[in-house]
Amino acid sequence: GAGVSQSPSNKVTEKGKDVELRCDPISGHTALYWYRQSLGQGLEFLIYFQGNSAPDKSGLPSDRFSAERTGGSVSTLTIQRTQQEDSAVYLCASKYREGRMYNEQFFGPGTRLTVL
Amino acid sequence: AQSVSQHNHHVILSEAASLELGCNYSYGGTVNLFWYVQYPGQHLQLLLKYFSGDPLVKGIKGFEAEFIKSKFSFNLRKPSVQWSDTAEYFCAVNAAPGGSYIPTFGRGTSLIVHP
């Protein structure tokens, strides 16, 4: 079946502009995660959804970052007033169900964001 | 809180060499452990996982990892690497109770295999 998809694959924007990144998880996966991958920094957790609610937003780096999920499916990560340090690859992952630790995450291809 | 350390950030090997990538975690309770791989230009995918039972776990493409609870380690191994194993490797841990169901990832190890 279809995997996790993300759009756009690449986004170049000017400093100060707002951007929206989209994630379509695997159908039926109730848990959804956003990570940020910077060169040499590994994966930085941003936010996690269980259904449409976000029990853990602890990783969001500032109030310029927000995310929502609707219909228990598509999620959008919004970055307002982008800064150059926001440049990174933003990864989305979904998992069948939270609370079962051994379930693996399935990752999307990521959105490469470049802020000029 | 759970954390993961990958001590080797960059590894360069020749084909047919043996590979061992270190992964240590800090958490005293029950853990589930994962290795993910990211080939150049591709998305992260699961290589193998441990959740219970035999501490020696076999994954895809000839990889294996051994969970040693006393050492808080989950090192990845492969007896003979191939050029196609060139990739970024990430160790991750889920921990409970008291930990987080959100997997914590290590910083990753970049492996380059020369033909």
Side-chain angles (χ1 to χ4, degrees):
Chain A
V4 178
S5 61
Q6 292 185 247
S7 60
S9 55
N10 279 285
K11 177 71 176 179
V12 180
T13 190
E14 294 179 347
K15 179 181 172 181
K17 300 283 189 184
D18 297 351
V19 295
E20 282 191 354
L21 311 180
R22 177 187 168 107
C23 172
D24 282 89
I26 292 173
S27 177
H29 281 196
T30 59
L32 186 148
Y33 308 77
W34 283 98
Y35 292 90
R36 180 164 69 176
Q37 185 177 24
S38 303
L39 193 62
Q41 297 300 314
L43 271 69
E44 176 189 3
F45 167 75
L46 298 178
I47 187 170
Y48 144 68
F49 287 91
Q50 178 59 37
N52 291 334
S53 63
D56 192 333
K57 304 178 182 179
S58 62
L60 293 177
S62 75
D63 59 6
R64 295 187 295 106
F65 287 72
S66 63
E68 64 175 14
R69 189 180 184 193
T70 55
S73 179
V74 172
S75 177
T76 303
L77 177 69
T78 301
I79 309 173
Q80 295 178 310
R81 305 181 301 282
T82 52
Q83 303 295 313
Q84 288 182 331
E85 61 262 29
D86 299 334
S87 296
V89 176
Y90 289 82
L91 293 174
C92 176
S94 69
K95 192 160 83 166
Y96 171 61
R97 188 189 300 178
E98 198 45 90
R100 291 187 179 181
M101 299 193 298
Y102 51 80
N103 287 357
E104 69 188 86
Q105 291 178 307
F106 291 83
F107 283 84
T111 293
R112 181 175 297 278
L113 175 65
T114 303
V115 182
L116 302 177
Chain B
Q2 63 204 39
S3 66
V4 178
S5 295
Q6 291 182 243
H7 307 295
N8 316 102
H9 297 306
H10 300 280
V11 175
I12 300 174
L13 296 172
S14 298
E15 276 194 317
S18 64
L19 170 73
E20 181 160 1
L21 301 183
C23 173
N24 286 89
Y25 66 92
S26 63
Y27 189 76
T30 302
V31 291
N32 290 148
L33 298 152
F34 306 80
W35 275 98
Y36 285 85
V37 61
Q38 187 172 30
Y39 297 104
Q42 297 187 26
H43 56 271
L44 274 159
Q45 57 187 287
L46 184 71
L47 199 55
L48 49 77
K49 64 182 179 182
Y50 168 83
F51 55 90
S52 67
D54 189 343
L56 184 62
V57 180
K58 294 192 183 299
I60 60 173
K61 302 185 180 184
F63 285 90
E64 65 178 31
E66 185 174 13
F67 170 50
I68 303 180
K69 189 174 181 179
S70 61
K71 295 185 178 180
F72 299 92
S73 70
F74 190 56
N75 291 355
L76 182 70
R77 300 194 294 249
K78 185 171 184 178
S80 176
V81 295
Q82 299 173 311
W83 174 78
S84 58
D85 293 325
T86 294
E88 191 91 13
Y89 292 82
F90 294 89
C91 183
V93 61
N94 269 9
S100 170
Y101 288 122
I102 299 169
T104 300
F105 284 79
R107 290 182 60 180
T109 297
S110 173
L111 172 66
I112 296 175
V113 180
H114 289 300

